[in-house]
Amino acid sequence: MMAPDNLDLVQKLEQKVDQLLDRCQGLARECQQLRDENRALLKEREGVCSELDRILGKLDGLDGETP
């Protein structure tokens, strides 16, 4: 049987480990959310770049031409 001081230390250690595991799980969820957000932003960026390329392509045809 453990001495009361040792039992108290083991319980405190277990609490700390549980807190660290909870924090780790929270960080893992946050990381996944950031990955999802980043993926969405990259997709949006591709759309904007594609639209800009389309517009710039129209402007390329206007070199010195009168409308």
Side-chain angles (χ1 to χ4, degrees):
M1 184 170 197
M2 280 193 212
D5 287 338
N6 289 341
L7 182 59
D8 187 46
L9 287 175
V10 169
Q11 289 173 340
K12 286 181 181 180
L13 178 60
E14 185 176 10
Q15 287 174 346
K16 292 288 183 184
V17 169
D18 287 342
Q19 289 171 353
L20 288 172
L21 288 173
D22 288 343
R23 183 66 180 136
C24 184
Q25 291 171 347
L27 289 171
R29 285 189 299 272
E30 183 179 350
C31 183
Q32 186 58 49
Q33 290 171 345
L34 291 171
R35 281 186 184 129
D36 293 343
E37 183 179 335
N38 191 43
R39 196 174 299 118
L41 289 170
L42 287 173
K43 186 175 181 180
E44 181 180 342
R45 178 182 175 199
E46 288 174 5
V48 169
C49 286
S50 179
E51 186 66 16
L52 286 174
D53 286 343
R54 186 185 66 75
I55 292 169
L56 291 174
K58 286 182 176 181
L59 292 176
D60 282 342
L62 297 178
D63 290 343
E65 295 179 18
T66 56

